[in-house]
Amino acid sequence: MHQIISDEAWRELLAADETAPASKFQRNFVRAAVARATGKRPSLMHLTLGQAAKVLEYVGQSPVKLTSGGRGVPGLEKAGTVAQWTLLGLLVVMVTVSSPAGFLLAAGIVGLMFLLRKRRRGRQAWEDATWSGSPVGTVQGIAVPDARIEAPANHAAPQPAAVEGQAPISPVTRPVISGQGLYRVSLGRSEWPNVDVVGEHAYSTAIKASLRASKGPMAVARDGEAEGVRVELVAEPDNPFDQNAVSVRWRNQVLGYLSREDAIRYAQPIRRIIASGLAAAATARIWAYDGGDRLQARVTVALPEPELIAPLNEAPAGVTTLVPWGSAIQVLKEEDHFDILCNHVPPEGVGLLLVSLHEVIRTLRNGTERPFIEVRLDGERVGELSNVTSSHLLPLLEHTETVGETALAYAKITGSALAAQLVLHAAKATEISNDWLSEGPHPAPKLVPWATGYDVPPAYAT
């Protein structure tokens, strides 16, 4: 009997996360696993590794298979793709030259490929609208200032940008100049543009400039694209349309805004960063098509979940160095310290903490001494790492202790009033570069204490 996955279950499985995108072969493996379990093959063109693991677990498959057989290895997957297209090309050539009827058969094969591709894109559009956490077409726009769109003289001037029936205001003439230090919201995680910006049509001049600077030049009837563009997120408490407004800016020029929904979600961590005298920096993907009379553009920003952008606590005093972000490591025996952890579980149930790592010696019954890593939160023990995991980090701790530094790391806390779980995110000693070691210490960014609200300066560009 086939398994049934409801739309509600799909929405949970495909909830946005900050993990890297799954490769083509990983997506196809997940699609095949779902087809075997349900009898239907979804599209899943935007699948991430985190979502892929959850889907496989849901249908009774091990997420380990995502990396088995060479899946996810760029070189092997590229070779597989080349082999696939080569074999298909040889088949089409053989069928074409075999007979006159073969030419029609080859044309039919190519036409069928395009038809299947179009059908899959249509299926993906349905999935985006039905299974997405924010269905297509339901995300509210945000009011943006008017910015005239460049148009040739033989075209009628486009209408000013107005959203939700509100009258546009004057063009942007006063960009906010940011001379502060940068706070990279990714914290070292892989950056994948996953949050859509709205109102790009009103900022064609800035978008074109960003593409030119990123070597993605624009020309009439041509498109341009740039990846990894550094942008800043600027809170605009004085925005006359939305006091929660957050603009996305490149070199102090507005490219667009977070939607109303996303602005509410990200307002707290972004305002905390700005109130600390820092600029919230992220990376973006910019695509635009210049049709001559109007610029079509799409800007997407790489943002983790809001609760995983800034730690809830402050770094301990003294000389500290922050270990680069790494894969998830489960902290053991945290249940023995719930009296401490319960005071740090945020109302949302998920948050980020700064913890310190310390080498401790455990003496076994036979007298053997075995070192392991103890995890402390604000100076108090909250758990430890396993012997195997400790062995991956101990060389790094020995180095930091030798130079008089205390090693810090980010930890994700999840819980409620009943229990709490702590997951460490720290790079292993083998993943640390010599340059990083020689450039230390690497102190954690200093943020103002966590609060429900922050005073930030006016920044609306008018």
Side-chain angles (χ1 to χ4, degrees), residues 321-334:
T321 194
L322 182 61
V323 179
W325 187 278
S327 56
I329 301 172
Q330 179 63 54
V331 177
L332 306 179
K333 299 184 179 181
E334 74 267 49

Side-chain angles (χ1 to χ4, degrees), residues 134-420:
S134 300
V136 176
T138 64
V139 179
Q140 289 181 309
I142 188 168
V144 297
D146 174 29
R148 301 293 179 180
I149 301 175
E150 297 177 0
N154 59 337
H155 287 278
Q159 296 299 316
V163 180
E164 299 179 357
Q166 295 168 319
I169 63 173
S170 58
V172 175
T173 57
R174 181 178 57 82
V176 174
I177 299 176
S178 175
Q180 311 106 314
L182 295 181
Y183 182 98
R184 304 184 188 279
V185 298
S186 66
L187 304 181
R189 285 166 284 204
S190 58
E191 299 177 321
W192 177 252
N194 58 326
V195 176
D196 284 319
V197 173
V198 300
E200 301 101 314
H201 61 278
Y203 304 103
S204 60
T205 301
I207 289 175
K208 287 182 178 181
S210 66
L211 286 171
R212 286 194 297 268
S214 304
K215 298 182 180 180
M218 294 292 302
V220 176
R222 293 284 300 276
D223 62 349
E225 182 179 356
E227 300 274 0
V229 180
R230 182 66 63 189
V231 295
E232 290 184 16
L233 305 172
V234 179
E236 299 182 354
D238 54 332
N239 188 299
F241 301 104
D242 183 3
Q243 62 180 2
N244 294 316
V246 176
S247 60
V248 178
R249 305 189 182 193
W250 171 82
R251 296 183 183 178
N252 302 322
Q253 301 180 62
V254 177
L255 300 178
Y257 282 75
L258 297 187
S259 68
R260 290 187 186 275
E261 180 185 32
D262 287 331
I264 293 174
R265 295 174 61 228
Y266 286 98
Q268 199 266 2
I270 291 175
R271 290 190 175 209
R272 183 184 177 194
I273 293 169
I274 296 173
S276 303
L278 302 171
T283 60
R285 174 185 178 272
I286 302 175
W287 171 89
Y289 175 80
D290 190 354
D293 58 341
R294 187 177 179 86
L295 186 75
Q296 300 178 39
R298 183 184 183 190
V299 180
T300 49
V301 184
L303 292 178
E305 289 301 305
E307 61 271 13
L308 300 180
I309 287 180
L312 299 170
N313 62 328
E314 300 176 63
V319 181
T320 60
T321 194
L322 182 61
V323 179
W325 187 278
S327 56
I329 301 172
Q330 179 63 54
V331 177
L332 306 179
K333 299 184 179 181
E334 74 267 49
E335 66 275 6
D336 298 337
H337 309 282
F338 180 67
D339 57 327
I340 300 174
L341 292 176
C342 67
N343 298 320
H344 293 82
V345 177
E348 299 81 8
V350 180
L352 195 68
L353 296 172
L354 274 173
V355 297
S356 57
L357 308 178
H358 304 267
E359 181 180 355
V360 177
I361 304 297
R362 177 182 288 124
T363 303
L364 304 181
R365 293 182 179 179
N366 60 4
T368 304
E369 293 185 342
R370 176 172 294 171
F372 68 97
I373 292 179
E374 182 176 88
V375 181
R376 299 177 188 173
L377 176 58
D378 296 338
E380 298 183 276
R381 172 187 166 93
V382 289
E384 63 185 55
L385 303 184
S386 68
N387 293 331
V388 174
T389 304
S390 294
S391 65
H392 293 307
L393 294 175
L394 279 172
L396 177 59
L397 262 64
E398 291 170 358
H399 167 78
T400 57
E401 291 179 1
T402 300
V403 297
E405 301 167 2
T406 300
L408 303 181
Y410 289 113
K412 177 182 177 181
I413 186 170
T414 308
S416 63
L418 301 177

Side-chain angles (χ1 to χ4, degrees), residues 97-160:
V97 301
S98 62
S99 65
F103 178 80
L104 296 177
L105 180 59
I109 293 174
V110 174
L112 180 61
M113 289 176 56
F114 280 102
L115 179 63
L116 292 177
R117 184 178 181 86
K118 180 179 179 182
R119 181 179 179 184
R120 186 179 177 191
R121 290 187 179 277
R123 171 71 185 183
Q124 183 63 53
W126 180 88
E127 291 176 7
D128 289 339
T130 307
W131 293 347
S132 170
S134 300
V136 176
T138 64
V139 179
Q140 289 181 309
I142 188 168
V144 297
D146 174 29
R148 301 293 179 180
I149 301 175
E150 297 177 0
N154 59 337
H155 287 278
Q159 296 299 316

